[in-house]
Amino acid sequence: MKLFPEQWPGEGVRQRDFPEQEMPATVMPGSPVQLNGVTLESEHPQSVSQPQPAFQIQPVTPDPAPCQPRETWGGKYEFLLSCIGYCVGLGNVWRFPYLCYRNGGGVFLIPYFVMLLFTGLPLFLLELSLGQYGAAGPITVWKCCPLLKGIGVGMLLVSSLVSLYYNVIIAWTFYYLGMSFQSPLPWSCDAPQNAPLCQNTSGNSSRFSASEAFWNEQVLGVTHSSGLHDPGPVRWPLAICLLVAWIVIFLCMLKGIRSSGKVVYFTATFPYLVLIVLIIRGATLEGSIEGVRFYLSSDWSRLQSAQVWNDAASQIFYSLGIGFGGLLSMASYNKFDNNVIRDTLVIAIGNCCTSFFAGFAIFSILGHMAWRKKVPVGEVADSGPGLAFVAYPEALALLPGSAFWSVLFFLMMFTLGVDTLFGNMEGITTAVLDEFPALREWRRKTLFLGVLCFTFYLLGLLLITEGGIYWFTLIDAYSTSFGLIIITLFMCIGIAFFYGVNQFCRDIIDMICRCPPWCSKVVLYFKACWVFITPCLLLFILFYIFLEMYNTTLHYGAYAYPRWGKALGVCMGTVTCIQIPLWALVAICRESGTLTDRFRKAIHPLNSWRTATTHAEVIDVPYTINLVDSDFGSPPQGSSEA
């Protein structure tokens, strides 16, 4: 409870609002009364005897202030652009268009926007609101419900795993970007070394196209590895690119959001410029209409498939970056009165429209490549790294001025990747710095960030060996699988039922000072989602993930992962979500009383909850005491001083 000094005479709290173990020791009469070291002076002379108060008072020592105060965004556009850049990532370009054509074309938009309404928007608002109201990172923010601190630890682990492999994608992008500054492009049929491959495209003597050969042999070196058990040596050109990528991340995050908040003005807007240019260029090519028609062709029967609805829910979930801690961390640097509902609608809807918009840029040029090769569009369409580093570069190589288009495309890939990595790294650093405020001092923070980036670089070397793509695929498949869904499910249930959905809705209204009427109605909709609809949909996604894990085998190309590899992936996902019961057990053991009492105390917010929401000097006391003149007056007749 927070008590401003000027409010002492008129503010009171019942003693029973606080646990019994917080009851203080008796203060002897004649001694000055103190609250947190502040002396309440009497208007009466000290020589007058005073009765022993009927209440007990204990000075409460305030928590030591952090070495450095928390930062805040330089402006609201920095936060919006950072969130948009974090959400609009590589998945919008290399996964959504592929899912769209695979799941019925334009019909896929129906389950996609249904899942946005009932899963994406509620969870997005929940994470932003929690971070903004608590003004703390993914771990510290759970002072609102200490029982669920494991959710924050799980978010930290998920973000660490994603950051580990995500920067490898940026390293690949750097490599392709460097190789694009030459003509002809090394993965095109015009390159002399690719002449044998391109001459045999009409026959069966060649296993790979020129772009596939460049990707598998020159970039990855995967042709020299037999699987997970055979990683082989490090690909040193990629090691240099990975080092450069981590140096870029380190420099951009060196000053926290003050530096990364400025970088996003370029990195968050540049991809939109490139997409517009690619769409305009693609519209002028032969066969582009066939590619767009293939992208949007409707198959209404696909709506009956549970796979389509699961793909839509998964794409919404992952493309918005929910459950990683990045959104929560970035929102924690907002001003308290920021309109979080408006930001949720702008960012989430903008992200989904970008995914749909990117599909035209991808399939118009893939349609031209299919027309040039005289094959159906389905034979050249791909997703993931196969689209970004094989199919699309091959399509760009067919265009006049191919080097220019290749440089433009991989610059876009770099900005998309680095924005998402900013959010993940912000989630990691904010979680640690809030738990250990002494690290906010500039030199310590620089050392911590340097050690963190260098550690990720060393661990990432495994992923750029000759067999590194097998480890990359394994971490990609399991680090954001069932563990992330379980973390988000408990976050939703914890806020709705432990912290209290009514209290959380009031918190949101409190943050929006001038709440328009539509905001109050929207909050009621989100309340229904948090309590029932969203948890049910998350359970549906979780069930389908376990079903797929049981019935399908993980593959990379023709390589089928062994059982021990799959077990390793399951352990990876389990480590992230098992933090929830482990830290819940710790929270219960720290309390006293019966098991029921311990549980009730563990879900009760700490006294330090919400301290960052006020900027005035406050005193943290266990309860408020009303002092009247009689407390300083003469003792009644018949009484004696102790």
Side-chain angles (χ1 to χ4, degrees), residues 155-316:
M155 287 179 172
L156 178 64
L157 293 178
V158 171
S159 292
S160 299
L161 289 171
V162 171
S163 299
L164 177 64
Y165 78 81
Y166 212 86
N167 218 13
V168 173
I169 302 174
I170 299 178
W172 294 337
T173 302
F174 269 139
Y175 186 84
Y176 270 84
L177 183 62
M179 301 300 284
S180 298
F181 288 97
Q182 55 183 295
S183 185
L185 294 173
W187 55 83
S188 68
C189 285
D190 295 331
Q193 68 271 21
N194 295 329
L197 292 173
C198 296
Q199 289 172 0
N200 294 325
T201 52
S202 58
N204 297 323
S205 58
S206 177
R207 288 183 56 198
F208 302 119
S209 66
S211 60
E212 287 176 304
F214 179 81
W215 168 245
N216 289 317
E217 296 176 11
Q218 186 166 339
V219 180
L220 299 179
V222 69
T223 54
H224 305 293
S225 174
S226 56
L228 278 176
H229 63 283
D230 181 26
V234 171
R235 307 284 291 180
W236 290 109
L238 287 181
I240 295 174
C241 292
L242 183 62
L243 180 61
V244 172
W246 277 115
I247 290 175
V248 170
I249 296 298
F250 171 77
L251 294 176
C252 290
M253 298 197 64
L254 190 57
K255 294 184 179 180
I257 60 172
R258 289 292 181 179
S259 56
S260 62
K262 300 297 185 292
V263 174
V264 294
Y265 278 105
F266 169 74
T267 57
T269 55
F270 182 74
Y272 288 95
L273 175 63
V274 176
L275 286 176
I276 292 172
V277 172
L278 290 175
I279 287 177
I280 295 174
R281 183 67 182 98
T284 64
L285 299 173
E286 288 284 346
S288 60
I289 296 299
E290 289 302 317
V292 174
R293 184 179 294 118
F294 184 83
Y295 171 48
L296 296 178
S297 58
S298 298
D299 181 5
W300 293 92
S301 63
R302 295 290 294 161
L303 290 178
Q304 302 174 8
S305 171
Q307 174 70 46
V308 175
W309 292 88
N310 179 70
D311 283 347
S314 300
Q315 178 62 18
I316 284 290

Side-chain angles (χ1 to χ4, degrees), residues 187-190 194 197-203 206-213 285-288 290 364-382 386-387 389-399:
W187 55 83
S188 68
C189 285
D190 295 331
N194 295 329
L197 292 173
C198 296
Q199 289 172 0
N200 294 325
T201 52
S202 58
S206 177
R207 288 183 56 198
F208 302 119
S209 66
S211 60
E212 287 176 304
L285 299 173
E286 288 284 346
S288 60
E290 289 302 317
S364 60
I365 293 182
L366 290 183
H368 174 69
M369 182 170 73
W371 175 80
R372 290 281 295 268
K373 287 187 165 187
K374 296 181 174 56
V375 296
V377 180
E379 291 189 15
V380 299
D382 204 349
L387 172 66
F389 299 106
V390 178
Y392 210 73
E394 183 179 355
L396 294 175
L398 300 175
L399 302 179

